[in-house]
Amino acid sequence: MAVNERNIKKEISQKLKDDVLRGALGRFGEAYPVSRAKAYENVEDIEALRDELKAMKVAAVADIEAIADRFEAEAARRGAKVFRAADGPALKKYLLDLCKDKGVKRVVKSKSMASEEIHLNHTLEEAGIHVKETDLGEWIIALAGHTPSHMVMPAIHLNRQQCAEYFSKELNEEIPPDIPFMVQTARKTLREEFLQADMGISGANFGIAENGAIGLVTNEGNARLVTTLPRVHVVIIGYEKLIPTVEDAIPILRSLPRSATAQLATSYVSMISGPTPTLVKQGGKWVEQDKELHIILFDNGRLKAAKDEKFKEIFQCVRCASCLNVCPVYQLVGGHVYGHIYAGGIGAILTAFFNSMGDFEKINELCIGCRKCTTVCPGRINIPGLIEELRVRGVKDHGLPFSLKLLFENVIANRRLFHSLLRTAAIGQKPVQSGRFIRHLPLFLAGMTEGRSLPAVADTPLRDRVRKITKKLASPAKKVAFFSGCNMDFVYPETGESVYKVLQDLNIAVVFPEEQSCCGKPVVGFGDVETTKRIAKRNIEAFEKAGVDYVIAACPSCTETLHVTYPEILADDPEWAERAKAFAAKVREFSQFVCGEYEQAGRLTKKPGATKVTFHDSCHMKRVLNIHEEPRKLLASTGACEVVEMKDCDKCCGMAGAFGIKYSELSAPILKQKIENIKDSGAQVVAVGCPACMMQIGGGLDKQAPDIKVRHVADILADQIKD
Ligand code: SF4
Ligand code: SF4
């Protein structure tokens, strides 16, 4: 479907109603992390293996032209014909000419996602050539007329009853939904195809420059038949699969099966270097002849990525699909919503290069930046980072939609106006407000309060309270400035007061630079770097004037933005680069900072407490700031809490900035699962370190488990301090 005709919201809602898909993805999502961990058990140092794979791929892409030249020369020396296809039309023309030249009427295929990228089967069929996919999953989806919904298990969205229906229709006989029977049936049917085929088309998991060989890592054995039985074998291999030496295949062979199918090794690993001899009938006799081997080195955007300082990283992908298996959004919607062949966050990036930026832009918001994928990717690809970079480039190329431009440039970047609007909202919300919550929104907004309440804007923001709560300390040990962020300033000012109380109890003087405003996270998240720079400069200026030892933030997303994003986006600004670095160096996340102070003061001893408290790790706190032990240590030291762990404590709560509102239909099931895990932990309180998570989880608990409360770590610590 043309990109402009797509209605992503509608597609999402259809997928959410697809019980077969939800069931399969849910079960697989549960089982995968356990199986993967088991498969990696005998790898002494998984991180070292990831480093090794990444280093090998980084070196390969840096030298890709030379590696491709060597691969071509070596493959040709062993009798293969190598063709470099710049794009889909070039590849198709070569292949159609070859089919014509060799009288090819029947083709069998295996393991080629690159061919799916350009809908090769369709082209061959239009030319009157009979094409059969022979990987079981690929064959099933071909029968169903679908595209793959997963990179390793293309038919994961279908159950056995549906598969049996497609089998029955294709074979014109009743096939029972019995998996072993269906596998046998497929084997029998496809065997005939192998024997009659004139050409086999395969992909490759790697191509080795030093000997011109290609490697295939498979489980079904059909790839061996595709590559050996027909008289012509065509390999379609993307440039990203090229590696310099045989030895370089080792980290791939160790990582790919473990990450993809949780196996120590796949059933078959085949290396093909040059055409193999085959038996042909001549004059009534069987004679041995070398078969033809054609290798198509496929570009289609790959070399452009290889030359791009940032996007050469996609060459580190070995297509294991681990990133999909742990992605909270993929687990809900499956692969088809991503639109092209490749699904999930990595799919969105590959789509931008192999298909179009327009297609990427349609689906880019399906990455919520939770960074779960970065913990499993064997090639260590920073998927959310690359998606953010593509958003930035999109904005540079054709700007923001008008409404967002207006919001970011004229409202969020204008502190006075932004804060006036928030104060107005505190009054305007009264008709729908119920205590500290908005529990029901009317009409088309109703979806936003389904399964969760929204927090009400506070009557008095923190900035209007600080004068009253600031203590004059006689000789403070340190002086810090508090960066509250919008949430703590206008929605949770009481938590801001708790931050003050905890810090002042440590004899630390706290100031609140009034010129501070939003950190800019929502703006940079949409790719608007220029407006974020304006915001960053104002905040830096405001905190420089405070002349403090540290800048404390009790929101991990704000901490990341101040500490990581500001120096990055201002790195090329001669006036601001050093100022941004100096500012960032002072930024500390609240719980980590307080944990250090408590440790020094000897206050970090574990004391048993009566209230069962479970801690929810925010995505940015755990996976960007690497802070997870400190809040737990703080909670355990209060004497009030018994810390209990919940299942998937570091899984996203579904808020993710604007995503939680815009895609409330996806946010709601993610939140529901989080609430179930909290309930199962037996906790009476959920502690958080992030006000956005507090908003989402607090709202969910209000509707789904009102006896359980959400509290920021600062609030729990403050409770233990006498006034
Ligand atoms: S960052 Fe999260 S949402 Fe984005 S692709 Fe990775 S796992 Fe999926
Ligand atoms: S991005 Fe990483 S995890 Fe995802 S398919 Fe590629 S190698 Fe596997």
Side-chain angles (χ1 to χ4, degrees):
M1 188 188 290
V3 59
N4 290 334
E5 290 166 20
R6 293 191 62 200
N7 181 340
I8 297 293
K9 292 283 259 180
K10 195 168 158 202
E11 289 177 36
I12 289 172
S13 103
Q14 281 165 354
K15 294 299 172 194
L16 288 174
K17 286 182 204 139
D18 183 339
D19 293 336
V20 173
L21 176 76
R22 293 285 302 277
L25 293 178
R27 285 189 298 277
F28 185 67
E30 286 278 307
Y32 175 76
V34 183
S35 321
R36 177 185 175 274
K38 202 160 173 41
Y40 272 102
E41 252 171 14
N42 66 349
V43 174
E44 205 175 304
D45 188 342
I46 302 173
E47 298 312 313
L49 178 56
R50 294 174 77 198
D51 288 339
E52 189 190 345
L53 177 60
K54 176 182 171 179
M56 184 275 285
K57 288 289 210 164
V58 166
V61 70
D63 206 18
I64 194 64
E65 299 283 2
I67 290 174
D69 287 347
R70 182 148 188 226
F71 174 78
E72 179 173 353
E74 289 300 325
R77 205 160 65 79
R78 285 165 173 78
K81 293 189 177 65
V82 181
F83 174 72
R84 297 197 187 202
D87 52 23
L91 188 154
K92 288 173 179 175
K93 181 174 181 325
Y94 179 82
L95 205 53
L96 287 176
D97 287 350
L98 183 65
C99 288
K100 200 165 164 200
D101 189 37
K102 303 293 167 196
V104 171
K105 295 273 175 261
R106 301 180 75 92
V107 168
V108 281
K109 283 181 74 218
S110 170
K111 288 258 152 230
S112 173
M113 288 202 85
S115 71
E116 306 231 21
E117 236 169 89
I118 53 168
H119 310 295
L120 181 63
N121 292 8
H122 187 62
T123 305
L124 292 174
E125 278 159 2
E126 270 187 346
I129 297 166
H130 172 88
V131 187
K132 270 283 172 252
E133 291 290 349
T134 65
D135 297 313
L136 189 56
E138 291 284 350
W139 187 50
I140 293 168
I141 59 165
L143 296 182
H146 296 171
T147 51
S149 63
H150 187 277
M151 280 191 260
V152 175
M153 292 165 292
I156 192 171
H157 58 287
L158 299 172
N159 64 13
R160 62 195 163 97
Q161 281 80 9
Q162 290 168 317
C163 292
E165 276 171 37
Y166 293 122
F167 272 52
S168 306
K169 204 163 152 208
E170 169 72 6
L171 304 175
N172 219 6
E173 62 178 273
E174 190 65 31
I175 304 291
D178 173 75
I179 292 172
F181 184 83
M182 284 193 282
V183 171
Q184 281 309 321
T185 307
R187 199 167 277 166
K188 216 165 67 192
T189 310
L190 290 173
R191 185 131 305 173
E192 280 308 303
E193 295 287 345
F194 290 123
L195 291 170
Q196 289 177 37
D198 308 300
M199 176 187 279
I201 298 177
S202 75
N205 291 98
F206 49 85
I208 303 170
E210 74 172 346
N211 63 2
I214 63 116
L216 278 160
V217 180
T218 64
N219 271 319
E220 292 176 29
N222 58 317
R224 288 196 164 173
L225 298 173
V226 164
T227 57
T228 52
L229 283 181
R231 58 193 159 89
V232 182
H233 175 203
V234 177
V235 182
I236 300 175
I237 178 169
Y239 280 84
E240 78 279 19
K241 304 277 180 71
L242 297 182
I243 56 175
T245 66
V246 175
E247 212 173 314
D248 292 324
I250 295 171
I252 300 178
L253 292 172
R254 293 184 73 205
S255 310
L256 183 56
R258 288 183 166 90
S259 291
T261 45
Q263 291 171 288
L264 304 191
T266 51
S267 310
Y268 307 94
V269 176
S270 313
M271 299 266 199
I272 300 170
S273 96
T276 43
T278 187
L279 289 174
V280 289
K281 220 170 199 178
Q282 273 180 8
K285 284 188 174 169
W286 287 100
V287 293
E288 197 177 279
Q289 248 185 25
D290 265 359
K291 54 190 279 170
E292 280 200 29
L293 174 64
H294 294 252
I295 301 178
I296 304 179
L297 258 179
F298 192 37
D299 181 355
N300 204 31
R302 288 162 170 85
L303 291 179
K304 186 177 163 212
K307 288 184 193 112
D308 187 305
E309 246 337 281
K310 295 235 159 102
F311 288 96
K312 61 185 182 186
E313 205 173 327
I314 62 175
F315 273 56
Q316 291 155 221
C317 177
V318 292
R319 307 282 190 274
C320 69
S322 284
C323 50
L324 311 186
N325 302 341
V326 299
C327 176
V329 179
Y330 176 85
Q331 280 174 2
L332 288 174
V333 299
H336 291 148
V337 170
Y338 294 86
H340 194 225
I341 297 306
Y342 303 102
I346 188 65
I349 301 163
L350 298 178
T351 295
F353 278 87
F354 302 167
N355 204 35
S356 78
M357 262 305 268
D359 284 278
F360 163 79
E361 279 163 4
K362 204 81 187 166
I363 54 167
N364 82 87
E365 287 172 354
L366 296 183
C367 174
I368 56 178
C370 73
R371 292 171 191 268
K372 195 80 176 160
C373 51
T374 62
T375 63
V376 293
C377 173
R380 286 204 187 283
I381 300 178
N382 179 0
I383 295 170
L386 294 180
I387 288 179
E388 279 164 21
E389 177 62 23
L390 280 170
R391 287 178 188 149
V392 169
R393 293 187 187 188
V395 171
K396 264 192 200 144
D397 284 352
H398 48 258
L400 279 166
F402 179 71
S403 55
L404 285 182
K405 190 174 157 64
L406 193 74
L407 176 69
F408 295 160
E409 291 180 7
N410 300 331
V411 179
I412 296 187
N414 181 340
R415 184 187 70 78
R416 283 179 199 284
L417 176 62
F418 184 36
H419 289 174
S420 306
L421 287 174
L422 287 169
R423 286 175 196 273
T424 311
I427 301 164
Q429 72 193 357
K430 295 290 177 212
V432 285
Q433 188 176 350
S434 162
R436 292 304 306 271
F437 288 108
I438 294 166
R439 293 200 167 92
H440 301 286
L441 282 171
L443 305 171
F444 62 94
L445 299 173
M448 282 160 52
T449 47
E450 211 161 282
R452 73 172 166 208
S453 303
L454 295 175
V457 179
D459 288 337
T460 313
L462 180 66
R463 58 184 53 239
D464 293 353
R465 303 178 185 211
V466 290
R467 196 161 298 162
K468 209 166 151 197
I469 60 172
T470 304
K471 281 188 184 166
K472 291 225 176 334
L473 300 172
S475 57
K478 292 183 179 85
K479 186 179 172 191
V480 304
F482 181 41
F483 184 92
S484 65
C486 314
N487 267 335
M488 222 168 263
D489 196 351
F490 284 87
V491 181
Y492 298 117
E494 294 82 5
T495 301
E497 290 190 26
S498 296
V499 169
Y500 262 71
K501 194 169 174 185
V502 172
L503 293 173
Q504 291 179 154
D505 178 59
L506 284 161
N507 194 29
I508 293 171
V510 190
V511 294
F512 187 92
E514 291 216 357
E515 290 303 308
Q516 65 175 289
S517 186
C518 170
C519 66
K521 181 78 182 167
V523 183
V524 78
F526 276 93
D528 185 355
V529 174
E530 290 312 311
T531 308
T532 314
K533 283 183 188 170
R534 276 170 56 203
I535 295 171
K537 289 175 188 174
R538 286 206 199 120
N539 278 328
I540 293 170
E541 206 158 37
F543 281 79
E544 281 173 344
K545 283 185 206 153
V548 292
D549 304 314
Y550 298 106
V551 174
I552 306 293
C555 166
S557 301
C558 295
T559 312
E560 180 199 7
T561 311
L562 309 181
H563 184 66
V564 183
T565 311
Y566 284 8
E568 264 174 23
I569 59 174
L570 294 170
D572 296 330
D573 188 318
E575 190 196 335
W576 286 90
E578 285 309 312
R579 289 170 75 176
K581 260 204 250 172
F583 168 74
K586 289 186 175 180
V587 174
R588 299 284 185 281
E589 190 279 328
F590 171 81
S591 62
Q592 191 177 47
F593 179 80
V594 174
C595 189
E597 294 294 316
Y598 273 29
E599 195 156 27
Q600 272 184 25
R603 290 169 63 169
L604 212 54
T605 44
K606 207 170 167 182
K607 298 184 203 91
T611 308
K612 280 193 177 167
V613 178
T614 191
F615 185 73
H616 160 76
D617 296 274
S618 98
C619 302
H620 288 91
M621 192 144 159
K622 171 93 185 271
R623 289 183 280 277
V624 179
L625 304 175
N626 195 21
I627 299 172
H628 46 98
E629 284 178 1
E630 294 87 338
R632 289 175 168 83
K633 280 188 188 168
L634 287 173
L635 294 170
S637 71
T638 59
C641 312
E642 182 199 339
V643 182
V644 292
E645 291 296 338
M646 70 172 115
K647 188 178 165 205
D648 291 336
C649 55
D650 67 349
K651 194 168 175 182
C652 183
C653 64
M655 190 64 211
F659 173 87
I661 302 296
K662 185 167 176 189
Y663 292 94
S664 52
E665 66 276 45
L666 290 173
S667 176
I670 298 175
L671 174 61
K672 192 167 189 304
Q673 189 54 59
K674 177 62 69 181
I675 302 290
E676 289 305 319
N677 292 343
I678 291 169
K679 286 200 287 194
D680 291 347
S681 76
Q684 295 141 289
V685 172
V686 191
V688 294
C690 168
C693 301
M694 190 155 152
M695 192 183 266
Q696 173 84 337
I697 295 175
L701 289 172
D702 184 57
K703 283 256 168 99
Q704 301 174 42
D707 291 341
I708 306 174
K709 301 296 169 207
V710 69
R711 309 215 58 205
H712 195 283
V713 173
D715 294 319
I716 296 175
L717 294 179
D719 281 353
Q720 304 309 308
I721 299 166
K722 291 194 182 72
D723 287 318

